[in-house]
Amino acid sequence: MYTEVRGHKAFAYTGSKEAKPEQPTIVFIHGSGLDHTVWAMQARYFAHHGYNAYAVDLPGRGRSAGEPCATIPDYADWVAEFCQVVGTGPAAIAGHSMGSLVALEAAARHPEQFTKLALVGTAVPMGVADMLQGAADENDPAAYDMITIWGHSMAAQVGGGPHVPGMWLTGGSVRLLERGGDGVLGNDLRCCNDYTHGEKSASTVTQPTLLLLGQLDMMTPPRAAQSLQSALGNAERVVVNGCGHMLMAEQPDAVLDALIAFTTDMKQAA
């Protein structure tokens, strides 16, 4: 579906379902340089099982127009504006990697809008290696290679796709990052690196929170989320065994199962 946010076209994947006001809503936020397609499987499931689902394309990537936001707080406000334009009402928000920082900040800044949050492949702070940032700033394809190598477990790099034997997960990741366009990945990585007040924001969050982490994640290893978990007031932690940073691609069913368990009470309350 298309709408308009800040004067530009904005897109969200809804699982080919129209929203119903009586249903609970989940908003999905992608990571650096990516787009809504990383959430396609999970968003489609929820859309076909009694939820309103919106997997957004953040500005300047996918099917959304405009320039990428320059900070995590600005991305968070953009997401809140999207929800207000669409009329989601109070919603759960799930974000992956950079999207987890956006979700965290959105919940802190707009507590009346976001009632639950799931942070997937997350850490605070989320520092970026100089080598990766430099390559991304130069639009060097080496940046895509670094992310796909560091972001996937070894099994995923040698054909460990869960549903299609031999599926090239890393190749798909490279193509998706390439599709983001010049400057997008570098911008988003800088947003992550510059987001230094995450623990302070987390300390104000009282909404139920799920930390969903990959056991073999080299980019945001589970130990790096400990301070975030301590800062949050109401958080649970699930670690997906044998999984790297790209959890939705490597272990889509495990991610979906964790999200279903986390949001079941929303459906019961609707």
Side-chain angles (χ1 to χ4, degrees):
M1 61 151 284
Y2 287 98
T3 188
E4 186 174 294
V5 179
R6 299 182 180 177
H8 294 284
K9 180 175 67 175
F11 177 82
Y13 173 67
T14 63
S16 301
K17 289 285 189 177
E18 292 189 7
K20 298 179 180 179
E22 69 273 14
Q23 294 184 161
T25 297
I26 305 178
V27 179
F28 298 91
I29 312 298
H30 61 75
S32 298
L34 303 175
D35 64 27
H36 74 274
T37 58
V38 299
W39 285 110
M41 181 264 205
Q42 293 80 16
R44 181 171 178 82
Y45 175 90
F46 280 102
H48 286 259
H49 289 81
Y51 295 79
N52 302 321
Y54 298 93
V56 304
D57 280 338
L58 293 174
R61 77 287 316 285
R63 301 178 187 177
S64 289
E67 292 296 320
C69 298
T71 66
I72 295 298
D74 197 23
Y75 273 128
D77 289 344
W78 186 95
V79 172
E81 290 173 41
F82 169 88
C83 291
Q84 291 162 9
V85 169
V86 173
T88 64
I93 184 170
H96 170 247
S97 195
M98 181 191 79
S100 72
L101 304 183
V102 175
L104 172 64
E105 189 67 15
R109 296 165 75 88
H110 306 279
E112 72 291 343
Q113 178 68 66
F114 301 108
T115 57
K116 281 192 169 217
L117 63 157
L119 310 179
V120 183
T122 194
V124 170
M126 193 178 288
V128 177
D130 291 342
M131 180 171 54
L132 173 56
Q133 184 68 65
D137 287 341
E138 295 296 326
N139 300 306
D140 185 341
Y144 308 147
D145 294 337
M146 283 184 247
I147 286 178
T148 53
I149 291 170
W150 296 339
H152 293 83
S153 68
M154 185 57 66
Q157 295 182 46
V158 294
H163 298 306
V164 181
M167 183 177 179
W168 192 21
L169 293 182
T170 53
S173 180
V174 168
R175 297 297 174 264
L176 184 55
L177 288 163
E178 288 176 341
R179 193 167 70 186
D182 289 352
V184 172
L185 179 60
N187 174 85
D188 288 355
L189 292 176
R190 186 170 291 100
C191 286
C192 293
N193 192 70
D194 291 349
Y195 183 63
T196 58
H197 64 276
E199 288 185 25
K200 182 177 180 180
S201 291
S203 69
T204 70
V205 170
T206 59
Q207 300 94 313
T209 304
L210 170 67
L211 303 180
L212 186 54
L213 312 170
Q215 177 199 15
L216 303 179
D217 188 343
M218 292 190 293
M219 300 187 78
T220 55
R223 67 179 181 276
Q226 187 56 56
S227 61
L228 174 60
Q229 184 175 0
S230 298
L232 289 162
N234 185 10
E236 61 180 285
R237 176 188 184 104
V238 174
V239 178
V240 181
N241 290 330
C243 190
H245 186 65
M246 304 300 185
L247 286 89
M248 295 91 75
E250 287 196 48
Q251 298 286 347
D253 290 330
V255 172
L256 179 58
D257 288 346
L259 292 175
I260 291 170
F262 183 60
T263 58
T264 295
D265 61 332
M266 294 176 63
K267 192 171 182 181
Q268 293 171 343

